Each structure stands twice: as structure tokens, then as C-alpha cells.
Amino acid sequence: MVDENERPPSPEETLRLIERQRADTVRQLRGDPLLQYVPWGVAWAIGFTTYFLHYGFDGTPYAPITETQALVTLLGSQLVAGAVAAYGITKQSAQTRGDNSARGRMYGFTWLAGFLLMSVIAIRISPMLPSAETGLVWAGASLLLVGVLYMAGGAIWLDWQMFFIGAWVVAVDAAGVLLGPGWHALLTAVLLGGGFIAAGLWFRRRP
């Protein structure tokens, strides 16, 4: 008599096990969505809400927040988000070898180089612009960089989800720049800040 616990698995059970292991492997290789999306969402929700309270819709501040305070809040939160994202990329790359690992390292260094160059350009141009436009240059350039790098990451790893999210960042950034500082800050805080937080939580829970 064959013990029920020792019987061979049925074809359906074997397929379910294979699919579960495949999903776990893909999740490990693609990285943790919480580290990819939520840090940026929190940073933008905090930083750009501060900017919106400073600008308002018509240039009248809604709170006693100076532009310097808003800029420091935005840059500080983005630096923290970038550090967390870089940790996630490094952790993801450590699980692979060969070309994929090299891509991950080069991609991580690209984030660092991009933000350094963006800061240099913004610092050089800012003194030539009005106060409101200075903030828009910093905000618009940083979002452009993030969006393009997400699209590049999607192309590197053939991840359409990452690619389209990067395109969404670029689209919201462009619309906000055209509408002006106050609208740019509000759209970014709501559509990108809240959107990235929701996306990270959704992708983490999705099988």
C-alpha cells in the first residue's frame, strides 16, 4: 500500500510548482518593487507638496515656506530616494553574474553621474533666471532624468512596465513645465508621488 504522503505529484501540481518557482525567480531578478518605486513616490509627494505650498496656483504662497526650504526638502528627499533605489539595483545585480550584473552596475553609476551633471547645469543656469523659473529648472530637470533613466532601464532589461512608467514621468513633467511652477508641483506630487507609491505596493502584491 502506497503512503498518501509519498505519492508522486500530479501533472497539475507539478505545473503549479514550476510556475511558482518561475515567478519567484523572476521577482528576484527584477528586484523589489518597493525599492524601485515607493522611495521616489514618497520623495516627490513630500518635496513637491512643499513646492506647491510655496508657489500656489498664482504665485501666492499657501504656507510660509521659502524657495530655499522647498528646494532643500526636494533635493534631500530625492537623495534619500536615489540611495534606496541604488541599494535595490545593487542587491538585484548581486544575484546575477556576467553581462546582467555588469549592466546593473553601469546602470547604477549612470544614475549617480546623471544627477551630478544635472546639479552642475542647474547651479550654473539658476542665477540667470527668475526665482520661480529657478525652481522649475531644478524640478523639471530632475524628473526628466528619472523618467529617461527608467525608460533606459526598461530597454536594458526588456521590462515594458518600467519603460512605460518612465514615459509617464516624462509626460507629467512636460505637462507641468508647460503649465507653470505651481501646477508642475501639484501634478508631480499627486500623479507621480502618489502614483509611484501605489505602483510599488500594487506590483509587490501582484503575483
Side-chain angles (χ1 to χ4, degrees), residues 106-193:
M106 287 189 287
Y107 186 60
F109 285 124
T110 301
W111 279 87
L112 175 61
F115 268 99
L116 286 176
L117 179 58
M118 181 274 296
S119 299
V120 170
I121 294 174
I123 290 172
R124 179 68 178 83
I125 294 177
S126 293
M128 308 175 188
L129 300 174
S131 176
E133 301 303 320
T134 297
L136 195 57
V137 165
W138 279 94
S142 62
L143 285 178
L144 171 64
L145 181 62
V146 172
V148 169
L149 285 175
Y150 263 82
M151 294 176 72
I156 291 171
W157 287 289
L158 298 179
D159 187 340
W160 284 103
Q161 170 184 294
M162 188 177 186
F163 180 86
F164 283 122
I165 286 179
W168 172 244
V169 173
V170 172
V172 172
D173 187 31
V177 169
L178 291 175
L179 292 172
W183 278 103
H184 183 272
L186 180 62
L187 290 176
T188 304
V190 175
L191 298 181
L192 297 184

Side-chain angles (χ1 to χ4, degrees), residues 40 43 72-85 112 115-116 119:
W40 290 114
V72 169
T73 301
L74 176 61
L75 292 181
S77 59
Q78 287 192 132
L79 285 174
V80 173
V84 175
L112 175 61
F115 268 99
L116 286 176
S119 299

Side-chain angles (χ1 to χ4, degrees), residues 52-113:
F52 175 68
L53 294 176
H54 167 72
Y55 286 131
F57 283 118
D58 58 357
T60 302
Y62 293 156
I65 299 173
T66 67
E67 185 172 10
T68 300
Q69 291 172 333
L71 178 60
V72 169
T73 301
L74 176 61
L75 292 181
S77 59
Q78 287 192 132
L79 285 174
V80 173
V84 175
Y87 166 76
I89 293 171
T90 303
K91 182 179 178 181
Q92 175 184 349
S93 300
Q95 301 182 57
T96 60
R97 296 292 184 271
D99 291 344
N100 202 50
S101 179
R103 288 191 191 100
R105 289 195 300 270
M106 287 189 287
Y107 186 60
F109 285 124
T110 301
W111 279 87
L112 175 61

